Amino acid sequence: MIERYCTAPVRNIGNDHVNGHIGFLCYMLWDIFVLYPGNSSAAMMEESVGVMDSAIHSQNDQCITSAIHSLGHWVREVHSARRVLNRWLRSPTTTNAVVIDYAKIAKTGYIL
């Protein structure tokens, strides 16, 4: 997907824009996505979380961070979002402590 464009290391979530506009788009993808809890069916929300679940298992820290960011927006309304984060935290696909800490924060619903 966008992995080949968003390649910079993640050092400071929410403030890193070293990939320029495409990096910002990667990070904020789910903020600009038109489907969000409250405006679609439960089935559509679950499918969306399924896409986020796939993205969080990337080997690319930028894509993982994007998925974490989106799941953090959804944890209060879509219970499977928190389950995805918890499962990923048990076996993260990165060793980047910044990304792992961000996932822990995202479980609360409070994200950058």
Side-chain angles (χ1 to χ4, degrees):
M1 187 169 132
I2 56 179
E3 290 178 340
R4 65 181 169 198
Y5 302 107
C6 300
T7 58
V10 174
R11 294 190 180 112
N12 188 2
I13 294 173
N15 297 310
D16 283 344
H17 299 295
V18 291
N19 279 313
H21 297 302
I22 192 70
F24 185 72
L25 178 62
C26 179
Y27 176 65
M28 298 298 283
L29 178 66
W30 294 93
D31 283 22
I32 59 175
F33 189 54
V34 296
L35 181 68
Y36 55 89
N39 81 336
S40 63
S41 70
M44 285 298 292
M45 289 188 289
E46 288 302 323
E47 284 299 316
S48 296
V49 171
V51 172
M52 296 174 206
D53 190 10
S54 294
I56 201 171
H57 288 92
S58 170
Q59 300 299 309
N60 177 304
D61 283 357
Q62 293 284 343
C63 292
I64 295 167
T65 301
S66 177
I68 291 168
H69 182 85
S70 61
L71 289 162
H73 280 301
W74 290 50
V75 296
R76 293 189 188 153
E77 296 184 54
V78 184
H79 298 291
S80 58
R82 183 173 282 111
R83 286 193 298 270
V84 168
L85 287 165
N86 284 329
R87 187 174 56 243
W88 183 83
L89 281 164
R90 286 192 296 274
S91 184
T93 53
T94 185
T95 58
N96 186 329
V98 172
V99 176
I100 292 168
D101 288 344
Y102 190 50
K104 292 174 184 174
I105 293 167
K107 291 187 337 175
T108 70
Y110 294 100
I111 55 167
L112 302 172

